[in-house]
Amino acid sequence: MNLEEQDKKLSENTGIPAVALRGLTILPDMIIHFDLSREKSISAVEKAMMSDQHLFLVTQQDPNNNEPGLSSVFKVGTVAVVKQVTKLPNGIVRVLVEGSYRARLLNFVEEEEKYLLAEIEQLFTENDLEENEEEAMLRELRELFKKYGAYNPKIGKTLERHFSDMTGLEQCINQMAANLPLSYEDKQKVLEEDVLRSRFEVLALILSNEIEIARVKNEVAEKIKGRVEKHQKEYLLREQMGYIRQELGEDEEESETEQYEAELKKLKASKEVKEKIKKEISRFKNLPPTSSESAVVRGYIETLLELPWDKTSKDNTDITFAENLLEEQHYGLEQVKKRILEFLAVRTLNKQGESPIICLVGPPGTGKTSIARSVAEALHKKYVRICLGGVRDEAEIRGHRKTYVGAMPGRIVAGMRQAGVKNPLMLLDEIDKVSSDYKGDTSAALLEVLDSEQNKHFRDHYVELPVDLSEVLFIATANTTSTIPEPLLDRMEVIEVTSYTANEKFHIARKYLVDKQLKKNGLSKEQLSISDGALKKIIQYYVREAGVRELERKIGEICRKAAWEIVKTGKKEKEIKVTGNNLSKYLGKEKYSLKKANETDEVGIVRGLAWTSVGGETLQIEVNMMPGKGEVELTGQLGDVMKESAMAGMSYVRSVSEKYDLDVETFQNNDFHIHIPEGAVPKDGPSAGITMATAILSAVTGIPVHADVAMTGEITLRGRVLPIGGLKEKMLAAKTAGIKKVLVPKENEKDVEEISKEIKSGMEIVLVETMTEVLEHALVETEAKGKGKKKDGN
């Protein structure tokens, strides 16, 4: 159908189906497909397909307008022929069209079918160009496209030959505007020009702008490329941004400097600190933004600005609130609570009083770390935890000097920065686990930190300014003091956190651990209940520890199995009751058995008491005498100190042999074998000295030893009994084993007084000074002559 026939067809009809396109302009001779989802647009396409397949395509001025009218579309569009219609899922229709000619929109007529019907008139291109002039314009367009293609090689290679074969200027303009990645607004400008000369000028201007933009972009890339390595993409992008801002006159570094100066004005700090920061900001101003030193200075300034030089938090002075909170969150730990309340009382009376430096020493799982968190809460202090386990570099405490790459402040200053105030509670966890190597001694670096006379002016290598640590409440934790150097230990107030008794463990489990594990495993008290008998049985037969960590794990195991049982049955309202009788269903067989006292008095067997990292333990020391050459055999993986104690005990027994009518040849013609069961467990220490001496004498004389007697103490060659440590744990082990009488060195009397009545009840505690008193209470035949001073535990 030629143009005259089309005009005739249009004049016969009242209009042509129209589609308003969003973000898309169609030009004559352009073949393209697009997707439609609006009902009006789909209806218009269907109407066109039922007639002569002609469709008027016009572009919306606002792509977001869902109901376009005459005023919201451009006035010039393109009449196109629908080549193909494809229906896609979700009510979408894909249409393939070919642009035929330009047309002006006169009006829209609304039809019953609810599609746009357009009244249009065909537009003809005015061409007043001479042949030579048209050829010149055609060549100019090809030249511009060639330049554009040089900056966009992917587009240029594909279309350059296609445009070179075209002989008509109008066709070339239409094809070039259609195929280049121009915005729909630019394409609309080309479409609306009626005069060919003007249309050429519009397209030439658009192409020239695109070429200029591409040139500037390439120039920026080339200038930046010389400053960076080949594959540093991220750095390249940042530099491009910096260069563009520089071209636009936006100085980022200047605004950053202004920000630092504004923060400096707000900073609460001494004049010395402010002068230092001001000097560093001035230095930062004069550094080139791309230099490595600029990044170092920036990090240093930010660190100084974030430190709480003179910023403090308000401490709680309500001693009743603090006491109630500590009691609510922790059972026992009376010494720690008492010391914190004393500090609070002093701080209430004297605002400038020094903060204590406390070291909590005790076995794992006894609540040392958690009590520190509760203290911070009770005093309304910021809480910072610094784990020192395995730290072996002095720079971890004092920081690295700025001259090193990746330098940063030490853990103490970093903790202050994290807290945001100069008076936080700082927990130095596992202070006994620090070590040293060729890089320096960590514990030596801590000397200044934990000295109240020096830490007011603590100097970090990175900060280079004195930092005031005098208002920090330091609490350190350790499992033992033996690995802490004496000068460091001397700077701390040591508070021993001893093992929990079975009763304390029961109360902790009932009051805290059960509720905690129920919540953690998504259970309610109605779904799972654990009886008191079950908890006591867990403590007695399933865990062997000084703290309550393993106890908590066992309760958690019960909760997990109960949760599995509830989910498996599908009955969320099911109630599970765990008692002592069905406990094995959830935890399996009992792991431990109680080492009860022997039922009968035996020769050469004595019950000793030992301290371990997980609490107290009873040791049954056995001695056998057999014909031989007077040799002494020691087995049971004994340490050097324990072996020496055994030899000291043997020497003492030989020195008192006449008192017991023993022949000298008894020791020359017999061998002695001293054995401590559980040979796989290493044992050491002097506290089993009197136990081994008693066992040796019993074996030599044949006198039995009371089965319900246990003892602990170091022995000398002359038979004196010296004091020992870990008495509370040892007494606890004796009580668990059913011991009725415990022999303790006289010099440990003060330790006995500190032991709770709960542990001492039911046991007779005898204080002894010499081996004579020990033997009088231990050997069966000499008991009646006993003159040892007794102290009843009841």
Side-chain angles (χ1 to χ4, degrees), residues 348-530:
T348 304
L349 298 175
N350 180 11
K351 302 294 183 184
Q352 303 301 319
E354 290 182 353
S355 295
I357 299 169
I358 298 168
C359 181
L360 306 178
V361 181
T366 49
K368 299 183 296 297
T369 304
S370 60
I371 189 71
R373 194 182 297 110
S374 296
V375 169
E377 189 178 341
L379 301 180
H380 291 172
K381 283 183 174 289
K382 296 285 186 180
Y383 173 74
V384 180
R385 178 177 173 268
I386 298 174
C387 185
L388 298 176
V391 174
R392 56 185 181 181
D393 186 355
E394 177 235 7
E396 292 277 354
I397 306 300
R398 286 187 173 276
H400 302 79
R401 299 194 184 277
K402 286 188 307 196
T403 51
Y404 294 106
V405 176
M408 61 181 70
R411 294 196 181 197
I412 303 297
V413 170
M416 295 283 285
R417 184 179 178 182
Q418 177 192 337
V421 291
K422 65 183 288 189
N423 60 337
L425 184 148
M426 197 169 285
L427 175 67
L428 304 178
D429 216 0
E430 311 291 356
I431 199 170
D432 58 327
K433 308 292 191 307
V434 297
S435 55
S436 58
D437 62 6
Y438 67 94
K439 294 181 181 178
D441 189 349
T442 312
S443 57
L446 285 168
L447 293 177
E448 184 184 359
V449 175
L450 299 179
D451 191 335
S452 56
E453 298 296 326
Q454 301 179 43
N455 63 10
K456 189 173 179 63
H457 303 286
F458 171 71
R459 280 191 177 268
D460 185 276
H461 289 156
Y462 181 83
V463 175
E464 296 178 348
L465 287 167
V467 180
D468 185 6
L469 302 179
S470 62
E471 294 186 43
V472 178
L473 173 55
F474 286 103
I475 296 182
T477 69
N479 295 129
T480 176
T481 56
S482 60
T483 55
I484 303 175
E486 280 298 324
L488 183 59
L489 191 63
D490 183 57
R491 282 164 166 77
M492 298 185 290
E493 182 181 340
V494 177
I495 298 177
E496 287 196 15
V497 181
T498 53
S499 307
Y500 290 122
T501 66
N503 186 48
E504 286 174 332
K505 288 180 183 179
F506 168 75
H507 285 294
I508 291 169
R510 176 54 69 204
K511 193 173 180 182
Y512 306 103
L513 303 184
V514 173
D515 291 344
K516 181 181 176 182
Q517 286 300 319
L518 284 174
K519 185 177 179 182
K520 191 175 180 181
N521 290 279
L523 297 170
S524 65
K525 292 182 179 179
E526 290 74 25
Q527 290 173 310
L528 175 65
S529 62
I530 304 175

Side-chain angles (χ1 to χ4, degrees), residues 10 75 102 131 148 153-154 166 190 212 251 257 296 311 318 339 349 352 376 507 532 544 565 590 638 668 702 710 726:
L10 287 172
K75 300 307 177 190
R102 299 183 310 119
E131 188 177 342
Y148 180 82
K154 288 184 180 179
M166 291 181 183
V190 175
E212 186 63 21
D251 193 350
T257 304
V296 173
K311 185 181 178 183
D318 187 348
R339 183 63 186 89
L349 298 175
Q352 303 301 319
H507 285 294
D532 293 351
R544 187 71 81 238
E565 200 173 313
E590 296 173 359
L638 311 184
Q668 295 175 349

Side-chain angles (χ1 to χ4, degrees), residues 143-210:
E143 193 65 34
L144 285 170
F145 179 76
K146 194 172 182 180
K147 289 179 182 178
Y148 180 82
Y151 294 112
N152 299 274
K154 288 184 180 179
I155 298 172
K157 287 179 182 177
T158 310
L159 297 175
E160 189 175 354
R161 184 177 293 179
H162 176 63
F163 294 144
S164 64
D165 294 338
M166 291 181 183
T167 54
L169 179 59
E170 184 176 1
Q171 184 190 12
C172 186
I173 289 172
N174 289 339
Q175 286 294 316
M176 204 170 279
N179 287 287
L180 290 179
L182 305 177
S183 66
Y184 74 92
E185 291 98 336
D186 287 341
K187 290 182 180 181
Q188 186 68 33
K189 288 177 185 176
V190 175
L191 182 67
E192 289 182 353
E193 289 296 334
D194 293 332
V195 182
L196 188 59
R197 184 191 299 274
S198 300
R199 199 181 303 171
F200 161 76
E201 289 172 355
V202 169
L203 181 60
L205 180 61
I206 292 169
L207 270 177
S208 298
N209 286 338
E210 291 293 327

